[in-house]
Amino acid sequence: GELIIREGHYQYNVHDLVRKFGSSLEIFMPFVIEDRLNKLHDIFNSTIKRAGYKGKFFYHYPMKVNQNKEAVLPLVSEGAHLEVGSVNELSLVRKLWEGDAVHHNIRVLCNGPKTRSYVDLIFHMWEKQLRIVPIIEDLQELDVFKEFRGDIGIRINLETKVKSRWDKKADRFGLTAEELLGLGKIRNFKILHYHIGSQIELGEDIIRALKEAVSVYAKLRRIHPSLDTIDIGGGFAVPYEKKRLYNADAVVRRIVNTLKQLAEKAEVPHPHIIVEWGRYIVAPAQMSAFKIVSSKEVPKGLARRWYVIDG
Ligand SMILES: *Cc1c(COP(=O)(O)O)cnc(C)c1O
């Protein structure tokens, strides 16, 4: 059959594209990610307005999801900030920055273990006027960034565990709540960050983790007055299978309302909100087309046919 992609007044027939460029073929649709990001901004901003919430919303694109310029450039031009997890990704940001390809008040969060070259590049980019924020993963890193003049974030390892695509038993990213609360005063501590996994199965789990994080945030806020942002990481699921998932409107409403209620109860200002939902924004924007080289019947399997493709 024929599958048509429509973009405004243009349309592309996938079969024609494959005839023209050959297979296997990856087709990337930047207008889809622009659309998804704009909608996400709209959902958060209108919910924040309706709820009378005082904090702001920021989207940070996790570059590990897709580092190609076809994905990164449309996102930053629509106002996305960035999140990187290694020196390799930060080197790509450096190229964009030096080539004037990104807007000037973009903010870049640096997660992941800080190797020597990663630390050096973070300091270098700070000197080059990029708004760069190292996210501290362990106590040694805290020491390394003592001299850092910009904002810093710290990653918390939550007790809340959720069903997701993530090896929970091995997760030792971040500091425990106890370690965090035992820290002395950190002058430029701005962001409390966590990431509980990818492809989180239940919307309720996003809220459970948030509740635990806010309770620690409120305690930390009394010690660190510079702390004003909570970063809930990635994990919003996309439908790879025919299965009903939660939707963004409902989850965003619950995130904003939960934050509002708990912050007011604890008598701290409403925090700014960062999300790093990666695949949620990018997954629907790409498709791969293959030619079937041969096929066989599967007598007793879950699928009816077995295909060998040219990928
Ligand atoms: C992988 C990752 C993300 C993105 O995860 P998605 O499941 O694509 O939303 C965001 N933040 C961090 C720290 C990550 O490691």
Side-chain angles (χ1 to χ4, degrees), residues 287-306:
M287 139 190 345
S288 301
F290 302 102
K291 186 183 282 166
I292 295 169
V293 178
S294 69
S295 81
K296 295 176 194 163
E297 269 186 41
V298 181
K300 281 195 202 104
L302 289 169
R304 254 173 260 139
R305 292 194 81 74
W306 168 273

Side-chain angles (χ1 to χ4, degrees), residues 62 64-65 83 111 155 166 193 195 197-199 233-236 276-280:
K64 80 159 189 275
V65 172
E83 183 268 343
N111 271 306
R155 179 163 180 170
W166 190 257
H193 167 76
H195 173 71
S198 279
Q199 200 63 7
F236 198 104
E276 301 172 356
W277 294 339
R279 68 183 72 207
Y280 170 76

Side-chain angles (χ1 to χ4, degrees), residues 31 57 75 90 136 142 152 180-181 194 214 231 237-239 279:
F31 70 95
F57 168 68
L75 283 167
L90 188 55
I136 306 297
L142 199 57
I152 65 161
L180 265 166
L181 290 164
Y194 65 88
V214 184
D231 175 353
V238 293
R279 68 183 72 207

